[in-house]
Amino acid sequence: MENFRINISSTTSFTLTGFPELENMEHWLTAVLLMLYAISILGNTLILFIVKEEQSLHQPMYYFLFLLSVNDLGVSFSTLPTVLSVLCFNTPETAFDACLAQMFFIHFFSWTESGILLAMSFDRYVAICNPLRYSTVLTDARVAHMGMSIIIRSFCMVFPLPFLLKRLPFCKANILTHSYCLHPDLIRLPCGDTTINSMYGLFIVISAFGVDSVLILLSYVLILHSVLAIASREERLKTLNTCVSHVCAVLIFYVPMVSVSMVHRFWKQAPEHIHKFMSLVYLFVPPMLNPIIYSIKTKEIRRKIHKLVLGKL
């Protein structure tokens, strides 16, 4: 028993995994991931610059977009160190505490993104269903309070996860499925009872993502009800067009997130490459596509990018 305890306490690191099952294609996959990082970082930085500099974008909808871009940069920079370490420098070992810290930030930014998307749906609801009250309901102070509430909620939800993991004995081979640390991946490794960890993880998924997605859906039911009351078909399409970017952002976030959570919990026997692919889509696609979607669908942003890149109005 004494030797067993010593073995448990000596666990100080995790081994991250690249794509050994796709060894012949690993260089191509690395190149693709680095390209996704570059697009995400450049795109979101550009959105931040444009929203800050363009006076016409100083309104609630774009303040939330600004916050979304900051959050997407956080997601990218949370995974970047270990992805580079594993795929580019072939150093898969990461310290126990560093892995828990990375897990905290990855999930913190995921929960924050969910809250931001909910706030953006509220913005669209007020703008379409109560346009005359828009400026009085969504004041700068209220937008700031909403942003702080989203961040505080995410922090409080994710904060217990590292401590719940740290209390457990890690006596198995500490090899993770991905090149970054995720909670569903980490709770497979302890040899102690992980029921509390699994239940708490499921609870915060339901109470945050579940509640947020239901409220977003409800907001769009009310929006559709209001839009259908508009007599002109052209006006209906014009109004709905203001929601397209947000709907796309919601879909590219929630669909992969729900999929990866379900695969980890209810299809544990799935091939490893399925887990990896779902997690890659979940973490890499939204930060890359969000700035592209908003750049295409927002005239002011599109015009500013055109001016910056081509030097034309």
Side-chain angles (χ1 to χ4, degrees):
M1 177 63 83
E2 187 67 30
N3 289 335
F4 181 66
R5 284 178 180 163
I6 290 170
N7 288 338
I8 293 173
S9 63
S10 65
T11 298
T12 58
S13 66
F14 292 103
T15 301
L16 302 169
T17 308
F19 302 92
E21 66 277 8
L22 299 171
E23 189 175 351
N24 295 332
M25 298 177 61
E26 193 159 17
H27 292 302
W28 289 104
L29 286 168
T30 302
V32 169
L33 290 181
L34 291 177
M35 183 182 70
L36 294 181
Y37 273 123
I39 294 170
S40 173
I41 292 168
L42 178 63
N44 285 293
T45 302
L46 196 58
I47 292 290
L48 295 180
F49 173 77
I50 290 170
V51 173
K52 179 178 178 295
E53 294 296 318
E54 194 69 34
Q55 288 294 320
S56 63
L57 300 181
H58 290 184
Q59 50 185 294
M61 177 182 173
Y62 299 106
Y63 292 150
F64 290 129
L65 177 59
F66 187 94
L67 191 55
L68 183 65
S69 291
V70 170
N71 191 78
D72 284 340
L73 285 172
V75 173
S76 296
F77 285 122
S78 294
T79 58
L80 183 59
T82 54
V83 170
L84 288 178
S85 178
V86 173
L87 299 180
C88 297
F89 302 108
N90 199 29
T91 51
E93 293 289 320
T94 185
F96 187 93
D97 289 336
C99 189
L100 294 185
Q102 184 185 49
M103 177 205 72
F104 171 86
F105 283 110
I106 289 174
H107 291 294
F108 167 77
F109 288 119
S110 294
W111 261 255
T112 303
E113 182 139 351
S114 179
I116 295 168
L117 291 173
L118 175 59
M120 294 174 92
S121 73
F122 178 69
D123 170 88
R124 292 298 82 210
Y125 164 75
V126 176
I128 293 169
C129 300
N130 292 285
L132 298 178
R133 296 188 57 204
Y134 184 80
S135 58
T136 55
V137 171
L138 285 168
T139 61
D140 289 352
R142 188 159 292 163
V143 169
H145 290 151
M146 289 170 70
M148 287 303 300
S149 299
I150 291 165
I151 292 168
I152 292 168
R153 185 193 73 159
S154 301
F155 179 85
C156 291
M157 285 185 165
V158 182
F159 184 72
L161 291 180
F163 299 100
L164 288 173
L165 278 168
K166 212 164 185 182
R167 70 186 177 85
L168 295 170
F170 283 80
C171 53
K172 299 177 184 178
N174 291 341
I175 300 173
L176 296 173
T177 309
H178 312 288
S179 50
Y180 37 80
C181 303
L182 296 176
H183 183 257
D185 200 16
L186 284 166
I187 61 172
R188 299 184 302 106
L189 300 180
C191 50
D193 185 6
T194 61
T195 303
I196 293 175
N197 299 67
S198 186
M199 292 301 292
Y200 181 72
L202 189 59
F203 165 74
I204 56 178
V205 165
I206 294 170
S207 61
F209 294 140
V211 171
D212 289 354
S213 59
V214 168
L215 291 175
I216 290 171
L217 180 62
L218 177 62
S219 71
Y220 274 99
V221 169
L222 296 173
I223 286 170
L224 281 173
H225 183 266
S226 180
V227 168
L228 291 174
I230 300 173
S232 168
R233 182 174 180 274
E234 287 184 4
E235 284 299 315
R236 287 202 297 267
L237 291 175
K238 185 178 177 181
T239 303
L240 286 174
N241 192 49
T242 64
C243 301
V244 170
S245 299
H246 179 253
V247 170
C248 291
V250 168
L251 291 176
I252 63 174
F253 174 74
Y254 277 104
V255 172
M257 181 274 299
V258 171
S259 300
V260 75
S261 182
M262 294 302 103
V263 166
H264 272 294
R265 280 181 170 81
F266 303 114
W267 193 18
K268 294 180 180 179
Q269 290 75 34
E272 237 180 53
H273 65 270
I274 297 293
H275 290 277
K276 289 184 180 182
F277 176 75
M278 295 306 302
S279 293
L280 285 173
V281 172
Y282 162 53
L283 289 172
F284 286 79
V285 172
M288 179 198 69
L289 286 184
N290 283 338
I292 294 173
I293 291 167
Y294 276 94
S295 298
I296 292 171
K297 294 299 297 179
T298 307
K299 183 172 64 176
E300 292 85 356
I301 294 176
R302 194 167 63 246
R303 187 191 304 127
K304 188 71 174 179
I305 291 173
H306 192 261
K307 185 177 179 181
L308 287 170
V309 175
L310 302 178
K312 298 176 183 179
L313 289 172

